[in-house]
Amino acid sequence: MNDPQPAETPEVCLPPHLRGAKPVERIILKATPRPSRLVLQSRPTTKAYGNDYRRPNNVRGRLHPNPSKRFSFDRDNDAKAAWRKGERELGFFELPRNYVRDDMDLSKREDTSSLAPLRNSLQSTLDQICLETEAYIRPPGSYSDRRLLIWGNLAQVKSAKTALRKWVVRFQGTLQVEGSKLGEFAKVTAELSEHKKAHLDRQMRDDAQRQSYRQAPGGKENFPATSTETVNKVLGRIRSTLYEIAFRNNTPTKLYLVDPPKSSEVRKEVEFKAKQTDKQGIPSVVPRIYGSRLSQKELSDWVELRPRLIAINDRCLKAALFRCLAGLRFYRGHVKMRVHFGTLILSSYRRPAGEKHSFEDFRTMMQHSQTQGKLLALSEVRREKGDLVSKCCRETAIFDPIDAMTTKLEDVQPAYSAMFDMVAISEEGPLRLEVEFARSSEVDEYEVSSYQWSRIEAPKVVRDESPTLAGPLAAAVVDLVGESAWQIVITTSNAVDSTRGTSKMRQFIECIRLKVRSSGGAKDDRPRLKYSQVLPVRSITQKTAYRYMLKGSTYLFEVARYQSPTNEAADPTGDLWGAMLYNSEWDHLLGQQASLSIGQHSTWSPQLKAFFPSNALSRGSSIGLGFHDFLAKVTSLAAFMKTEKAAVSSL
């Protein structure tokens, strides 16, 4: 006869993914006279784990007694709320005298980086104790302050003091762990890096400064009543400000996608063609398709696989664009989105196990976070009959003149602009001035028609200590057959209010002139730039752009020459050329970011259909139709650029 089952046994609630699973085993929890102890009984049913703090024999890994607290990121509680309201603490804890020394006072020391390990240990301990005891412990304002004030009820304060005593004993190295075995190695704490020490030192100073700002409100102060609508507006601006801070601190997104070759061009392997070393001494390579053709069976599989790879690339690119645009709505500054054409070189990559990479191994390697590359968007083009500008003038089936008054592509007039990088001239730090020119009243002379100042920031440094991208997004698509690539880039720069400009900044802009000489109705390829020396200029980049409209769309294709002239003449040996694609609607939407105030965000939608409108001649109502139309135009232009075979300039 079977043993009778307990009358009341608490059932274990299963998560949704385990409901309906095959009955294997079930752990039943049965309470004993001591509420803090639980007894495990096994019965044949569905396997699940209850809230027992002990690990069952058939369960591997550590079970934390309170996972919800361990993984909770909400550090606020009633005790901290009482501290914010200015209520008096309910207890305190004195740190031992050997924890601090007389020379630890922040007011007596300029460099506190050597104290960072102590700060790291104390701060992390206080956070953990507050999380477990639900008390609040105010961190000390300096290392000479040994008193920790504690808020909470009596039980919470008592628990916090007990936990602090245990930590002090452990910190002094006298804690005897119950049940420890002889001969065990002590835990070795690694030396903190200089970057971590600087971060902890800055955190300590910021905490002390915030504490100095706190003060109790006056008793006679009256706050006028306000409406719910006003409160919501204030909270909305605070929310937008926090989103902007988060977006600025995000790691830039880099994406390297491999365009699957056609069936007639696909090969089994990918090799690296060595390129010259750059100015920093880093060798680089260019990937290209290599090896024998596929067998009949492999070719049949490739025909089925290639559309899926193209779809995966499209989804990855769309997801990266949407994530970037969603956060970009809260950014305040100058923003540009462009598609550049050129050659992708790799400076950090994984070497193949054999002599060459297989195509799938190379595609996987390009998705690795440590893979680093750069698009050489500037190509060296000689001024002859077969150059890129002349070729664009012959492609009447692809391009149209931008100006409605111009009927021939050969009559397209160049647009002139320049960029000045300044040495630090004010508290703003190093500045950059971008100007565009328009014809003046004088013959063959151009003057400034528009300009914008921006602040040059030092590039962020990630864990591998290499400079990050100049903007929040850079997504490249590599063509292994043509050894070419195209890259969509979003760049940002901090705007400088023109009303805060100094008299020298205004005087510098007024003195900029561009001299363009005409000979036989043709413009001079090397215009002369003149400017005043009232501001220290570090470098100059002069741009001469030829812009063409893609037929039946609002996309613009630009071929530009870049020069680095002196004050009076341009050096013809330093000329570089580049090609890019953009949409006038992009500049209209992203231009709103420069005029935003603190706490505001733009009104445009981050959906891709706002930036990639569908062609008016296309049929269908798919949301992604405009994006696929954009990809088709980029692909056709990449094929057009591939046939040019321009030589890549030296790094």
Side-chain angles (χ1 to χ4, degrees):
M1 184 174 179
N2 296 333
D3 296 334
Q5 297 296 332
E8 295 183 359
T9 304
E11 299 288 338
V12 178
C13 182
L14 298 178
H17 69 280
L18 288 179
R19 296 172 187 170
K22 182 179 179 181
V24 180
E25 182 182 3
R26 179 182 180 183
I27 297 178
I28 298 180
L29 308 180
K30 179 180 178 181
T32 63
R34 295 180 60 185
S36 60
R37 299 294 301 275
L38 297 173
V39 177
L40 293 175
Q41 294 183 351
S42 295
R43 287 180 56 193
T45 181
T46 304
K47 182 177 179 180
Y49 305 128
N51 294 328
D52 184 44
Y53 296 169
R54 299 177 299 170
R55 182 193 301 115
N57 295 331
N58 60 343
V59 179
R60 294 185 178 182
R62 181 179 179 183
L63 298 179
H64 196 272
N66 198 337
S68 62
K69 284 189 177 182
R70 185 182 185 185
F71 297 102
S72 174
F73 293 93
D74 186 7
R75 306 288 183 178
D76 205 356
N77 51 33
D78 294 339
K80 192 171 184 178
W83 166 75
R84 284 197 302 267
K85 291 188 293 186
E87 297 182 4
R88 189 175 181 82
E89 71 278 3
L90 209 59
F92 64 90
F93 182 83
E94 289 281 349
L95 293 172
R97 292 185 178 275
N98 59 354
Y99 177 76
V100 294
R101 303 187 301 273
D102 293 338
D103 59 347
M104 284 186 171
D105 192 354
L106 292 179
S107 61
K108 301 178 182 179
R109 298 188 55 166
E110 296 182 357
D111 182 16
T112 58
S113 59
S114 60
L115 309 180
L118 298 180
R119 171 68 183 184
N120 185 32
S121 178
L122 177 61
Q123 187 65 47
S124 60
T125 300
L126 296 184
D127 290 343
Q128 186 65 24
I129 292 176
C130 292
L131 196 63
E132 293 179 351
T133 63
E134 298 185 357
Y136 175 70
I137 307 174
R138 192 197 69 179
S142 65
Y143 279 106
S144 61
D145 183 10
R146 296 188 296 111
R147 173 165 292 193
L148 304 178
L149 304 181
I150 308 174
W151 279 261
N153 56 37
L154 293 177
Q156 293 168 351
V157 172
K158 183 178 179 181
S159 300
K161 288 183 178 180
T162 303
L164 285 170
R165 293 191 190 97
K166 292 181 179 180
W167 173 78
V168 168
V169 174
R170 187 183 303 111
F171 182 82
Q172 292 175 337
T174 59
L175 179 66
Q176 299 297 330
V177 181
E178 183 180 357
S180 61
K181 299 179 181 179
L182 296 177
E184 290 184 346
F185 288 98
K187 182 178 180 181
V188 179
T189 303
E191 178 69 18
L192 294 178
S193 64
E194 295 299 326
H195 179 72
K196 182 66 174 178
K197 290 180 180 179
H199 170 71
L200 294 173
D201 181 55
R202 185 171 60 253
Q203 185 183 31
M204 178 184 63
R205 293 181 183 274
D206 291 344
D207 289 345
Q209 188 176 22
R210 281 193 294 268
Q211 293 293 335
S212 64
Y213 289 155
R214 291 183 56 84
Q215 58 181 345
K220 297 182 179 180
E221 293 182 0
N222 296 322
F223 298 93
T226 184
S227 62
T228 305
E229 182 181 0
T230 303
V231 173
N232 290 336
K233 288 182 179 179
V234 172
L235 294 177
R237 299 194 68 166
I238 295 175
R239 170 177 169 270
S240 298
T241 303
L242 295 178
Y243 277 148
E244 182 189 8
I245 295 173
F247 178 77
R248 287 177 177 270
N249 292 330
N250 282 343
T251 302
T253 300
K254 66 178 180 66
L255 191 64
Y256 301 124
L257 303 175
V258 182
D259 185 25
K262 298 178 181 179
S263 301
S264 59
E265 301 172 335
V266 65
R267 298 293 186 271
K268 292 185 177 181
E269 296 176 328
V270 177
E271 72 166 356
F272 294 142
K273 185 173 69 174
K275 297 296 294 184
Q276 61 269 32
T277 305
D278 64 2
K279 296 179 181 179
Q280 287 75 30
I282 302 176
S284 56
V285 297
V286 176
R288 64 179 179 181
I289 202 74
Y290 181 81
S292 58
R293 295 179 180 273
L294 303 183
S295 64
Q296 192 65 30
K297 176 64 169 60
E298 293 171 336
L299 191 60
S300 177
D301 296 339
W302 179 256
V303 172
E304 297 181 0
L305 178 61
R306 185 172 182 269
R308 295 201 296 268
L309 295 180
I310 294 177
I312 291 174
N313 288 349
D314 292 352
R315 288 197 299 267
C316 292
L317 188 58
K318 289 171 65 176
L321 275 171
F322 177 78
R323 286 195 301 267
C324 182
L325 292 174
L328 197 63
R329 296 172 59 237
F330 303 93
Y331 181 85
R332 295 179 301 114
H334 300 299
V335 184
K336 286 185 179 180
M337 183 163 67
R338 295 290 187 268
V339 178
H340 297 274
F341 298 89
T343 301
L344 182 72
I345 61 172
L346 299 178
S347 57
S348 176
Y349 54 92
R350 187 183 64 201
R351 294 184 180 274
E355 295 183 358
K356 304 289 188 299
H357 274 293
S358 67
F359 179 84
E360 184 59 29
D361 289 342
F362 176 77
R363 195 177 72 88
T364 304
M365 184 270 293
M366 293 295 286
Q367 299 174 1
H368 199 278
S369 60
Q370 293 184 354
T371 301
Q372 298 289 337
K374 181 175 66 173
L375 185 78
L376 292 183
L378 304 181
S379 300
E380 183 180 2
V381 181
R382 296 179 177 87
R383 187 65 179 173
E384 56 188 21
K385 183 178 179 181
D387 67 3
L388 188 56
V389 176
S390 300
K391 186 173 181 179
C392 290
C393 295
R394 297 192 299 267
E395 296 294 337
T396 57
I398 302 177
F399 305 115
D400 278 334
I402 296 180
D403 189 1
M405 303 300 294
T406 304
T407 58
K408 297 181 180 180
L409 294 175
E410 294 86 351
D411 298 334
V412 171
Q413 297 297 314
Y416 300 103
S417 60
M419 181 174 66
F420 300 85
D421 285 349
M422 310 288 185
V423 184
I425 56 178
S426 64
E427 67 279 359
E428 298 284 354
L431 299 180
R432 172 172 293 170
L433 173 64
E434 299 179 49
V435 297
E436 294 185 355
F437 296 98
R439 186 186 296 274
S440 65
S441 57
E442 298 186 14
V443 180
D444 296 338
E445 187 172 275
Y446 287 70
E447 60 184 4
V448 176
S449 60
S450 63
Y451 66 91
Q452 69 177 27
W453 290 94
S454 59
R455 187 168 65 250
I456 302 176
E457 290 187 347
K460 297 180 181 179
V461 177
V462 292
R463 284 181 294 180
D464 60 356
E465 298 184 357
S466 60
T468 58
L469 305 171
L473 175 67
V477 179
V478 185
D479 180 11
L480 298 175
V481 178
E483 301 179 23
S484 60
W486 61 268
Q487 186 178 50
I488 182 168
V489 179
I490 297 179
T491 57
T492 57
S493 59
N494 290 320
V496 177
D497 189 359
S498 58
T499 60
R500 300 177 58 183
T502 62
S503 58
K504 289 186 177 181
M505 294 170 64
R506 292 188 292 269
Q507 182 182 355
F508 182 85
I509 296 175
E510 293 173 355
C511 295
I512 298 176
R513 290 291 186 275
L514 188 70
K515 189 74 173 179
V516 181
R517 293 175 297 180
S518 300
S519 177
K523 296 295 184 183
D524 184 11
D525 283 342
R526 309 190 189 282
R528 296 173 179 264
L529 183 65
K530 296 182 179 181
Y531 58 93
S532 175
Q533 298 287 351
V534 294
L535 293 179
V537 178
R538 184 173 58 186
S539 64
I540 305 174
T541 302
Q542 185 176 319
K543 178 180 176 182
T544 304
Y546 297 85
R547 295 166 183 160
Y548 309 94
M549 182 80 70
L550 267 66
K551 280 186 174 294
S553 70
T554 56
Y555 288 99
L556 303 177
F557 182 67
E558 178 180 288
V559 179
R561 165 181 256 156
Y562 298 87
Q563 301 166 286
S564 298
T566 60
N567 192 16
E568 292 295 335
D571 181 12
T573 61
D575 292 356
L576 297 172
W577 287 75
M580 68 177 70
L581 175 73
Y582 63 98
N583 196 313
S584 57
E585 187 66 16
W586 298 352
D587 293 344
H588 171 69
L589 294 176
L590 299 178
Q592 301 177 17
Q593 308 305 122
S595 59
L596 295 179
S597 301
I598 297 177
Q600 292 183 341
H601 62 84
S602 56
T603 57
W604 48 262
S605 170
Q607 299 294 332
L608 297 185
K609 61 181 179 181
F611 288 84
F612 304 97
S614 301
N615 193 337
L617 302 178
S618 302
R619 297 181 180 180
S621 58
S622 175
I623 295 178
L625 188 61
F627 182 75
H628 290 296
D629 181 60
F630 158 75
L631 292 180
K633 287 179 170 55
V634 173
T635 304
S636 63
L637 286 174
F640 168 75
M641 294 288 297
K642 188 192 305 183
T643 58
E644 178 61 25
K645 296 296 183 182
V648 178
S649 64
S650 59
L651 296 178

